[in-house]
Amino acid sequence: MKKFGIGNMTQHSLRVPLVTGGKTLKDITNDIAGPLEGKPNKLWYIFFVTSALALLLGVISVAYQIATGIGTWGLNKTIGWAFDITNFVFWVGIGHAGTLISAILLLFRQKWRNSINRSAEAMTIFAVICAGIFPGIHLGRPWMFFWFLPHPNGRELWVNFNSPLLWDFFAISTYFTVSLVFWYIGMVPDFGALRDRATGKIRKMAYSLLSLSWTGSAKDWQRHEIVSLVLAAIATPLVLSVHSIVSTDFATSVIPGWHTTIFPPYFVAGAIFSGFAMVITLMIIVNKIFPFDNYITNYHYEQMAKVILLTGMLVGVAYSTEFFIAWFSGNKFELYAFINRALGPYWWAYWSMVSCNVLVPQILWFKKFRTNITILFILSIFVNIGMWFERFVIIVISLHRDYLTSSWAMYYPSWIEIFTLIGSFGLFFTLFLIFTRVAPYIAMSEVKDIAAKLNRKAMKEGAH
Amino acid sequence: MSKKLVVGVYDDEHSLIVAIKHIRAKKIKINNVYTPYPIHGLDHALGMRRSKLPKFTFWVGATGFTSATLMQVGLHTFTLPFNLMNPINVGGKPWGFAGLPAFVPIMFEIMVLSSALSIVAGFLFRSKLFPSLSCNVVDIRATDDKMILVIDLEDVPMDAHAVNQLLKETPATEVYEKEVAL
């Protein structure tokens, strides 16, 4: 009888291949650049028209609320932040998975990130755009947004650098800029490949412009590698800082349920959790439209599912820690805030949050569920809903019952607010679908790197 | 004006590295190598120096950090034109240097922003990557699936025929001559 075979196997064959189907370099270019050159299929149009209509609804409602004022919302004197800030925190959180995949997993040399990092970064950019819209509208007079910037002015007044809202402005704009630059620099070589394949004149000119006359020379690649590595190294603390700073919007105030030191790590874990769910949702949809099964395999989904399971449990620990500390602190306001979350008038929001974020992801302990695309898709939707409710719970439930019973109130979103949320999803998916048509959805050069190693290994093993 | 190039085409990174070692052992200068993806160890094989970009980025980042600190401390203490003590006192929170802990987030963000933008700008500038409507590439297969090695006849003390022979000694799948306009 043969003993355990592991000793005989090379380290490589223990690993699951990240690109299947025995792809050559030429196949990779054809597979990834090909869909950009033909007409999109029917499914793409269906998704595009649906999301463009949602976007239109959003544009109309945003125009209406800017013209009329934010009195069109369901806010009142007790609840000054509600739907709008919930959506803002939700969208910023979504973005975090993209940077985690593109930067943190690069530093940890997780090769499976290579075929999903491009789309995950695109998701980051579009999610941050969606996020930026909400505080923008919340200003009431969005054309005055430059008041956030320290600039000499007739009021002889500078911005308040002590305020987390200002930190947020700096954090989000830095995050957006750095992510955009990181994404674009990664795409330059692929734009070069598209330029060299292009047949039409306009197409060739457009990709020449985008590719910044990239030639792929050895020195350029050496610099490109260093730039990617340095950007990853600075994007890693950046992404952790962004949601930490978002959490200080709440944590530095004296509202029971907000004033806790656990917020920064708790928000970061939640952000990664929700972001990975959104990555899975998007990948499954796009994989339906374009045939990328050989590049985004079950293994990729399984890895992402593991991250969801881990961060989901971190979030679960945060929920229970909050409860424990509320009781242990001996602060009756704090304790009341938490009992009110679970048993108060908004109990349904709290329990949807707990069941979607903590209970449902537990099925991912089983490999059968981690590799089942349908189950994963449904689960990712659950997590998205749960994480949206988490922000709603934190913001609305903490605000709606103040220290004074005279200012207790309830909050219900107006139609305008709901339409704006739908519109933000429309914007997100519209941008993403356009992206799948103009830029390589999978980072060609990075996948070629993996495939070349794979082919060389296969040749060596064949030679034995 | 034009210059004459001899181009060797390789199918995989292994044969490219073998070829580079072979050519460099004969002290022949390689003009450039174009590849569809970054090849580990290629810079070493070509004898390229390390990039100075990280050092440059470090100093720009440090400048960003310092200026963000000074900006926040300064603006919380003075009004323009910087001759009037006029501290911003919000809720009795400390200002000037005493307020430093509250300034950390923005110090950090500006450091990150300045270093990210500087390394990218440095890269584009050093590699001369600017948007242009057309691009002269030696062989367009270099962005698809081939490794392209280029020798400029002006750089080497050999004639075209000898360079052709030299490249044919390496595992090149194709060797050809090309004239490019300067």
Side-chain angles (χ1 to χ4, degrees):
Chain A
M1 201 183 89
K2 214 178 158 193
K3 279 193 213 163
F4 298 107
I6 292 175
N8 303 329
M9 291 161 88
T10 60
Q11 193 200 5
H12 179 75
S13 48
L14 277 175
R15 294 199 177 155
V16 185
L18 296 173
V19 178
T20 55
K23 298 286 180 188
T24 62
L25 298 182
K26 185 124 202 123
D27 291 340
I28 293 172
T29 325
N30 287 339
D31 285 355
I32 297 169
L36 297 174
E37 286 157 357
K39 281 217 160 68
N41 58 16
K42 210 191 247 171
L43 214 51
W44 186 88
Y45 278 116
I46 294 173
F47 280 117
F48 185 75
V49 169
T50 318
S51 42
L53 285 175
L55 172 61
L56 185 68
L57 185 69
V59 170
I60 293 170
S61 56
V62 169
Y64 174 74
Q65 60 196 284
I66 288 177
T68 318
I70 53 173
T72 51
W73 295 355
L75 300 181
N76 50 50
K77 270 191 175 170
T78 302
I79 303 158
W81 279 5
F83 221 71
D84 190 75
I85 302 297
T86 302
N87 296 336
F88 161 69
V89 182
F90 172 75
W91 279 117
V92 176
I94 296 289
H96 279 51
T99 321
L100 184 102
I101 291 171
S102 63
I104 303 184
L105 295 185
L106 176 76
L107 296 183
F108 284 121
R109 307 214 177 272
Q110 294 293 307
K111 286 281 180 191
W112 60 273
R113 71 177 265 294
N114 284 19
S115 45
I116 57 170
N117 76 338
R118 174 69 47 76
S119 44
E121 277 173 48
M123 182 194 79
T124 296
I125 312 259
F126 304 145
V128 177
I129 291 175
C130 290
I133 287 172
F134 288 100
I137 312 167
H138 209 313
L139 294 176
R141 290 179 291 169
W143 51 93
M144 298 293 195
F145 84 95
F146 64 91
W147 284 14
F148 271 119
L149 288 167
H151 64 289
N153 56 70
R155 291 162 283 137
E156 290 201 348
L157 191 62
W158 293 104
V159 290
N160 177 14
F161 290 108
N162 285 322
S163 165
L165 297 181
L166 190 73
W167 304 346
D168 225 10
F169 174 72
F170 276 86
I172 303 282
S173 31
T174 302
Y175 183 49
F176 179 71
T177 316
V178 173
S179 306
L180 189 67
V181 161
F182 196 8
W183 184 53
Y184 186 70
I185 288 297
M187 277 196 298
V188 165
D190 285 1
F191 281 136
L194 289 176
R195 170 201 66 205
D196 292 345
R197 278 173 64 93
T199 42
K201 200 175 169 191
I202 294 176
R203 198 179 168 79
K204 195 155 194 111
M205 257 161 54
Y207 283 121
S208 292
L209 280 175
L210 284 171
S211 68
L212 308 177
S213 45
W214 172 266
T215 55
S217 83
K219 191 73 198 173
D220 290 358
W221 272 125
Q222 188 205 27
R223 292 197 185 110
H224 190 272
E225 288 283 271
I226 283 185
V227 170
S228 311
L229 210 59
V230 171
L231 283 180
I234 55 182
T236 299
L238 173 66
V239 68
L240 300 180
S241 84
V242 171
H243 229 58
S244 300
I245 290 176
V246 169
S247 80
T248 58
D249 289 350
F250 306 101
T252 57
S253 69
V254 283
I255 308 285
W258 285 7
H259 191 62
T260 50
T261 46
I262 198 182
F263 261 32
Y266 163 29
F267 267 52
V268 171
I272 292 167
F273 180 54
S274 67
F276 266 89
M278 191 56 108
V279 175
I280 288 188
T281 314
L282 271 179
M283 299 263 157
I284 292 176
I285 292 176
V286 175
N287 257 14
K288 273 266 172 291
I289 306 177
F290 302 107
F292 288 138
D293 292 343
N294 280 317
Y295 302 98
I296 299 168
T297 62
N298 271 351
Y299 178 75
H300 291 92
Y301 287 117
E302 199 191 340
Q303 297 303 93
M304 290 192 271
K306 284 178 187 166
V307 178
I308 288 191
L309 179 60
L310 173 73
T311 47
M313 286 192 299
L314 283 176
V315 167
V317 169
Y319 296 160
S320 39
T321 310
E322 274 189 323
F323 248 95
F324 172 74
I325 294 295
W327 165 76
F328 192 65
S329 68
N331 181 328
K332 61 184 176 185
F333 294 105
E334 188 78 10
L335 184 61
Y336 176 75
F338 280 87
I339 290 174
N340 185 41
R341 275 187 191 179
L343 304 170
Y346 285 111
W347 61 271
W348 47 272
Y350 183 80
W351 291 107
S352 342
M353 165 188 103
V354 171
S355 41
C356 291
N357 292 349
V358 185
L359 302 180
V360 177
Q362 299 307 319
I363 61 165
L364 296 177
W365 284 105
F366 303 99
K367 192 180 171 113
K368 202 168 73 184
F369 294 121
R370 285 201 301 269
T371 49
N372 185 321
I373 302 298
T374 321
I375 298 276
L376 271 184
F377 186 73
I378 297 168
L379 175 108
S380 70
I381 302 286
F382 267 113
V383 173
N384 283 324
I385 295 172
M387 283 309 293
W388 189 86
F389 269 113
E390 183 195 297
R391 280 66 182 249
F392 185 83
V393 164
I394 292 173
I395 295 170
V396 173
I397 306 187
S398 303
L399 283 177
H400 92 120
R401 290 198 170 168
D402 207 340
Y403 295 100
L404 293 172
T405 37
S406 58
S407 51
W408 285 14
M410 290 295 284
Y411 164 80
Y412 302 102
S414 70
W415 280 109
I416 288 296
E417 289 174 281
I418 293 169
F419 288 159
T420 314
L421 175 63
I422 295 172
S424 70
F425 274 97
L427 174 65
F428 180 73
F429 282 104
T430 307
L431 289 173
F432 199 85
L433 288 164
I434 293 174
F435 155 72
T436 60
R437 293 290 308 151
V438 294
Y441 175 75
I442 293 171
M444 278 193 269
S445 55
E446 293 184 34
V447 171
K448 280 176 188 169
D449 186 18
I450 298 182
K453 287 200 174 63
L454 208 65
N455 292 346
R456 205 167 59 245
K457 282 264 165 54
M459 269 161 62
K460 266 190 198 161
E461 276 162 22
H464 281 305
Chain B
M1 268 293 278
S2 70
K3 61 178 178 178
K4 280 188 122 180
L5 307 174
V6 182
V7 181
V9 181
Y10 300 86
D11 270 353
D12 61 283
E13 54 179 85
H14 182 67
S15 14
L16 176 71
I17 301 275
V18 169
I20 290 173
K21 281 184 183 152
H22 180 74
I23 296 165
R24 275 175 57 87
K26 300 204 164 171
K27 304 254 185 280
I28 301 295
K29 194 182 167 205
I30 296 170
N31 179 274
N32 217 333
V33 174
Y34 302 96
T35 58
Y37 59 91
I39 292 171
H40 190 71
L42 184 65
D43 48 351
H44 186 69
L46 284 168
M48 288 191 305
R49 276 181 302 174
R50 277 177 68 104
S51 167
K52 292 193 197 88
L53 285 173
K55 261 185 199 161
F56 166 66
T57 306
F58 173 81
W59 288 113
V60 177
T63 314
F65 184 82
T66 319
S67 29
T69 315
L70 294 177
M71 173 187 77
Q72 295 185 81
V73 172
L75 293 186
H76 260 238
T77 316
F78 303 103
T79 43
L80 272 186
F82 292 116
N83 55 8
L84 208 68
M85 269 281 269
N86 191 6
I88 300 179
N89 184 338
V90 182
K93 283 178 188 164
W95 44 271
F97 278 103
L100 267 185
F103 301 152
V104 168
I106 293 179
M107 277 145 71
F108 173 76
E109 299 301 333
I110 290 183
M111 177 189 72
V112 164
L113 185 65
S114 52
S115 40
L117 291 180
S118 70
I119 196 163
V120 169
F123 165 54
L124 298 182
F125 182 75
R126 290 286 289 149
S127 286
K128 297 195 180 62
L129 295 173
F130 305 111
S132 75
L133 283 175
S134 60
C135 178
N136 287 327
V137 283
V138 177
D139 190 319
I140 59 167
R141 289 173 294 176
T143 53
D144 185 6
D145 62 337
K146 301 289 184 211
M147 323 283 150
I148 307 295
L149 188 149
V150 178
I151 292 179
D152 187 345
L153 282 180
E154 276 175 20
D155 292 346
V156 292
M158 296 160 91
D159 64 347
H161 182 71
V163 177
N164 263 303
Q165 276 306 316
L166 174 73
L167 285 181
K168 276 177 189 154
E169 286 166 18
T170 65
T173 48
E174 194 185 326
V175 177
Y176 64 93
E177 280 173 47
K178 190 177 177 177
E179 209 163 306
V180 290
L182 275 181

